């Protein structure tokens, strides 16, 4: 087997052949001239026959020489044509061709490399292939594309990214095969490289377009899906899966629409509306084959869907599905409202008028008593206004007209009571009219609507009620006076009972003899104490109702009052196997008020919490210095709770929510009403938040004027560095819906060098409320939360008078996009990545943000 010539060798051989042919032709012509002279000379010497033979041989030789020259010329032309074809092909193909020798030095590179990458072939011929790759900054785009020339194996579709002479990044695909001679000795590589930059960029653009399309579909509020000509699913968006959650797991490309329907029917997703399963499927398929309008489907869970099917140009289907449950509910509500309105119109006891335009002398009226009240009504349902006004009692007409004129001038609502002399019966009755202006779409006052009620019976009832109220007030005053007078009579025997029972229980004068007597004495003492407390509560409630409860005001330490009240109920809590905790910050302000009454509030709330909390539960009393300077005392428990509708009743004196012979809990029903009265006496308010079976939180919110600073005026806090410790604890508010994240932050914060207070809010709304009440020094805010997300919460804080001055550090679980990051930076908001969360990162974020707080304060 002979060695195959290289592309460069072929070109050199062609040129050599042309040169040899030209030399041969010249030699033949020269030899012809020499032979001609020789023959002429010989002809003189040789006989004529020999001369004739030589002449014939010479002619034949010349003919053969011309034929050989002609063939040689044709061969040369063919060689030229082959070279032109080779060069044209090298120019036309998108690849550039190369060859190397056994040392991997380039021996040939086609001119195409200049067009593609701006590199002249003569600049790289003779260089090692590895050097050329380094010059082009070529890197394989995948590990499997790395070329190990030493193994001398073929190279198949190896992708490289290279840099051309203009600095542009390009993509190149290489194919090459090794060359061997007849003895299988390695001779080098012959290969071709194709530029696929446009293909690579097109693939990236296609992927980007697909990603954008998918993101756009997922951002739609409607469910979108595309089916091919065989009614098989091609693609659907996230909202479509959410709407069809019952079959979301089977909504994959390739599933037939009918198959998805049948699976949904088998799973009970659809309300078949009385149809058999196959009838339901057949109806839906028929509606899809002939789509003319939207189709409404009801699901088994009560939701309604509106489906719009449309054919595509290739015979497939596009479906857009919307959840119209809210629209259906609104339609049902509108029908119910219309029915109620018509029932109201047909049965209203009184008179209603509507859409009376300015300047009109009559009004459209309706109502079951309209004709009776007005006296006469036209068949069109309209009443004459002049006749109505003339029937108003003379003593009330001037007041009525003045009120009407004021309403026309100011646009305010009118509500007036007057006497009306019936034009038919002559009877005088009391009327109450209320009217208001209706506005047109441009906001101009144009219409008058209102109603008139006969309040004659109510007026009579008011007179009776006034008399009853006066009697009740007299009775209440008498009750208060009676209770006050009985106070001494009740306390005297109770003090004796309590005192003697205490002596007996403690056996101060010797043993009682029988141990049961000691238990009975303690029971008597506790019962006496309870009765004394009830009596005191009754007296205090009575005094509060009568407005005779006074305050003995002084300045005192709230923490001591709360601790004292906690000690008084701790034994009872331990007997009930409850956990009783205090949460009192060390920097609580001093309080100006009645110490005994504040202790009574705390004691009553704690007693209630212990009483209504089952065994194993938890009761906590806390105090919070609000941002507005006020003070909150909060008692929470994990007890039986109160239904929200019953909370107002629980604040009424002597009301017990659990009544009858089956009562489980003791009490007089005075604890909460008394706490409310004592709190309001201090200018505060009492708030109850409760949930049946989960517990109750009672907040005593005292105003800012009741608090006093612990010491002198505080200096503005200095910026915090690594070596600076703030004079007071830093208040950190975490707003995050993930309790584990909040727990981690709290754990990290405890490792800081600074004294801190940490509070967690599970959403933005609660966080904003804490900002107003607690005034934190820094907010750690999660960006992704249900309800208000982080950005919405930032806007809400910026709109709040107190929230806008609190610095914020955003917590993000992922890298922020450029726009969001720039927006946060422009607003002076720091960012802390949850994935990099550590004590050092948290400390740096706090230290970087607190100077802003110091400047703002």
């Amino acid at each position: 087997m002979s060695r195959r010539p290289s592309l460069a060798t072929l070109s050199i051989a062609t040129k050599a052949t042309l040169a040899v042919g030209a030399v041969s032709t010249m030699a033949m012509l020269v030899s012809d001239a020499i032979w001609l002279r020789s023959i002429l000379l010989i002809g003189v010497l040789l006989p004529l026959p020999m001369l004739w033979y030589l002449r014939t041989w010479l002619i034949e030789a010349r003919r053969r020489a011309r034929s050989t020259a002609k063939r040689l010329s044709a061969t040369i032309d063919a060689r030229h044509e082959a070279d032109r074809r080779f060069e044209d092909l090298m120019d036309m193909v998108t690849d550039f061709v190369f060859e190397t020798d056994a040392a991997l030095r380039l021996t040939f590179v086609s001119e195409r490399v200049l067009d593609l990458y701006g590199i002249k072939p003569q600049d790289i011929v003779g260089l090692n292939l590895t050097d050329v790759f380094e010059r082009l900054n070529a890197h394989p785009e995948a590990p499997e594309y790395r070329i190990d020339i030493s193994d001398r194996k073929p190279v198949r579709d190896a992708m490289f990214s290279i840099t051309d002479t203009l600095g542009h990044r390009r993509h190149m695909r290489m194919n090459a095969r090794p060359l061997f001679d007849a003895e299988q000795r390695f001779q080098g590589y012959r290969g071709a490289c194709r530029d696929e930059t446009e293909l690579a960029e097109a693939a990236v653009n296609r992927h980007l377009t697909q990603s954008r399309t998918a993101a756009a579909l997922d951002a739609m509020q409607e469910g979108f899906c595309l089916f091919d000509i065989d009614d098989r699913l091609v693609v659907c968006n996230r909202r479509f899966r959410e709407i069809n959650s019952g079959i979301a797991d089977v909504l994959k490309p390739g599933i037939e629409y009918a198959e998805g329907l049948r699976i949904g029917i088998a799973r009970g997703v659809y309300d078949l509306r009385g149809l058999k399963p196959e009838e339901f499927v057949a109806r839906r398929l028929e509606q899809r084959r002939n789509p003319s309008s939207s189709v409404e489907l009801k699901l088994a869970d009560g939701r309604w869907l509106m489906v719009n099917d449309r054919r595509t140009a290739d015979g497939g289907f596009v479906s857009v599905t919307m959840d119209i449950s809210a629209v259906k509910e609104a339609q049902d509500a509108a029908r119910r409202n219309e029915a109620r309105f018509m029932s109201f119109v047909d049965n209203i006891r009184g008179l209603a008028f509507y859409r009376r335009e300015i300047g009109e002398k009559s009004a459209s009226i309706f109502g079951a008593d309209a004709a009776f009240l007005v006296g006469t009504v036209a068949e069109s349902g309209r009443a004459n206004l002049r006749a109505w006004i003339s029937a108003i009692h003379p003593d009330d007409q001037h007041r009525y007209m003045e009120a009407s004129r004021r309403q026309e001038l100011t646009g305010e609502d009118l509500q007036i009571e007057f006497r009306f002399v019936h034009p038919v019966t002559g009877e005088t009755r009391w009327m109450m009219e209320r009217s208001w202006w209706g506005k047109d779409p441009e906001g101009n006052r144009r219409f008058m609507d209102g109603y008139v009620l006969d309040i004659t019976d109510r007026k009579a009832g008011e007179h009776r009620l006034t008399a009853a109220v006066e009697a009740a007030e007299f009775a209440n005053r008498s009750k208060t006076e009676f209770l006050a007078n009985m106070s001494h009579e009740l306390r005297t025997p109770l003090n004796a009972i309590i005192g003697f029972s205490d002596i007996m229980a403690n056996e101060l004068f010797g043993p009682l003899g029988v141990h049961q007597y000691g238990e009975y004495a303690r029971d008597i003492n506790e019962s006496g104490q309870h009765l004394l407390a009830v009596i005191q509560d009754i007296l205090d409630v009575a005094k509060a109702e009568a407005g005779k409860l006074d305050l003995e005001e002084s300045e005192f330490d709230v923490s001591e009052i709360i601790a004292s009240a906690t000690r008084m109920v701790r034994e009872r809590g331990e007997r009930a196997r409850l956990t009783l905790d205090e949460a009192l910050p060390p920097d609580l302000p001093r309080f100006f008020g009645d110490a005994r009454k504040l202790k009574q509030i705390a004691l009553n709330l704690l007693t209630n919490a212990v009483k209504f909390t089952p065994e194993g539960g938890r009761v906590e009393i806390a105090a919070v210095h609000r941002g507005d300077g006020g003070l909150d005392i909060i008692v929470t428990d994990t007890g039986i709770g109160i239904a929200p509708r019953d909370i107002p009743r629980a604040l009424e004196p002597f009301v017990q929510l659990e009544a009858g012979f089956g009562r489980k809990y003791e009490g007089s029903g005075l604890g909460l009403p008394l706490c409310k009265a004592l709190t309001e006496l201090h200018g505060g308010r009492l708030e109850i938040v409760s949930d049946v079976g989960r517990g109750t939180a009672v907040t005593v919110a005292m105003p800012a004027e009741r608090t006093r600073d612990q010491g002198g005026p505080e200096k503005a806090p200095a910026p915090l560095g690594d070596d600076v410790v703030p004079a007071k604890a830093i208040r950190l508010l975490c707003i995050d819906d993930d309790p584990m994240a909040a727990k981690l932050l709290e754990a990290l914060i405890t490792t800081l060098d600074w004294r801190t207070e940490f509070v967690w809010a599970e959403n933005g709304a609660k966080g904003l409320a804490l900002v107003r009440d607690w005034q934190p020094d820094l907010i750690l805010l999660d960006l992704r939360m249900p309800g208000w997300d982080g950005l919405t919460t930032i806007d809400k804080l910026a709109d709040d008078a107190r929230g806008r001055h609190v610095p914020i550090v955003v917590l993000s679980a992922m890298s922020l996009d450029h726009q969001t990051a720039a927006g946060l930076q422009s607003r002076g908001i720091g960012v802390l990545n949850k994935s990099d969360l550590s004590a050092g990162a948290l400390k740096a974020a706090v230290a970087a943000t607190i100077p802003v707080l110091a400047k703002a304060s």
Side-chain angles (χ1 to χ4, degrees), residues 275-424:
L275 297 176
K276 294 180 180 179
E278 286 306 316
E279 291 176 345
F280 182 81
V281 173
R283 173 176 292 185
R284 278 298 298 130
L285 293 179
E286 178 62 26
Q287 290 167 343
R288 283 171 66 81
R289 281 193 292 268
N290 301 286
S292 57
S293 60
S294 301
V295 176
E296 294 182 356
L297 296 178
K298 186 177 182 182
L299 303 184
D301 60 6
R303 290 183 296 141
W304 280 89
L305 306 181
M306 177 181 287
V307 182
N308 291 281
D309 295 319
R310 293 292 182 270
R311 282 193 177 274
T312 60
D314 62 355
F317 288 96
V318 169
S319 292
V320 177
T321 305
M322 293 178 288
D323 189 332
I324 59 170
S325 302
V327 176
K328 280 289 187 180
E329 290 177 3
Q331 291 174 349
D332 293 341
R335 284 192 290 268
R336 290 194 297 270
N337 289 338
E338 184 179 1
R340 283 196 293 267
F341 176 74
M342 294 309 299
S343 176
F344 172 79
V345 168
D346 293 339
N347 297 283
I348 185 174
R349 309 310 300 178
L351 176 153
F353 57 89
Y354 61 97
R355 291 298 181 260
R356 177 176 72 83
E357 294 197 21
I358 297 177
E360 276 192 303
K361 304 304 180 183
S362 63
S364 297
I365 64 173
F366 61 85
D369 297 334
F372 169 75
L373 292 178
V374 175
T376 56
V377 180
E379 292 183 359
S380 60
R382 300 183 69 83
N384 187 290
L385 296 180
R386 290 183 177 178
W388 168 262
I389 294 174
S390 64
I392 296 175
H393 194 282
D395 293 343
D396 296 336
Q397 272 195 12
H398 178 72
R399 181 167 56 87
Y400 182 91
M401 296 302 295
E402 282 296 323
S404 298
R405 279 193 291 270
R406 186 167 60 253
Q407 182 186 29
E408 290 188 2
L409 290 174
T410 64
E412 63 186 16
D413 293 353
L414 169 67
Q415 181 167 327
I416 187 172
E417 297 178 358
F418 55 91
R419 287 164 291 177
F420 182 80
V421 181
H422 198 277
V424 177

Side-chain angles (χ1 to χ4, degrees), residues 39 44 99 103 230 283 285 354 494 577 585 690 797 848:
I39 289 171
V44 179
E99 279 188 346
D230 296 323
R283 173 176 292 185
L285 293 179
Y354 61 97
L494 272 178
R577 297 183 180 179
S690 187
L797 288 169

Side-chain angles (χ1 to χ4, degrees), residues 656-724:
Q656 295 169 332
L657 300 182
E658 184 186 38
F661 294 107
R663 286 182 57 207
K664 180 180 178 182
Y665 302 99
E666 62 179 15
S668 61
L670 294 174
L672 286 177
L674 182 58
C675 290
K676 180 175 183 292
L678 295 178
T679 301
E680 292 174 349
L681 193 63
H682 283 83
R685 67 184 187 279
L686 186 138
E687 301 173 350
I688 301 177
V689 177
S690 187
D691 191 3
V692 175
R694 301 185 65 179
T696 303
V698 182
T699 301
V700 176
M702 292 298 186
E705 55 265 22
R706 288 286 176 185
T707 59
R708 300 290 186 268
D709 292 337
Q710 292 276 15
E714 296 179 357
K715 297 181 179 180
L720 294 179
D722 290 339
D723 301 325
V724 178

Side-chain angles (χ1 to χ4, degrees), residues 2 30 44 103 177 365 433 482 545 624 660 683 704 799:
S2 61
V30 171
V44 179
R177 64 175 182 173
I365 64 173
E433 177 180 335
F482 169 77
E545 290 180 345
V624 176
D799 294 337

Side-chain angles (χ1 to χ4, degrees), residues 771-786:
V771 168
R772 293 169 177 167
D773 295 338
W774 192 53
Q775 279 294 289
D777 298 317
L778 179 65
I779 298 173
L780 301 171
L781 175 64
D782 186 24
L783 275 186
R784 296 178 64 87
M785 295 186 295

Side-chain angles (χ1 to χ4, degrees), residues 203-218:
V204 172
N205 292 334
R206 182 171 64 255
H207 177 71
L208 181 60
T209 301
Q210 291 173 347
S211 300
R212 288 174 175 172
T213 303
L217 290 177
D218 283 342

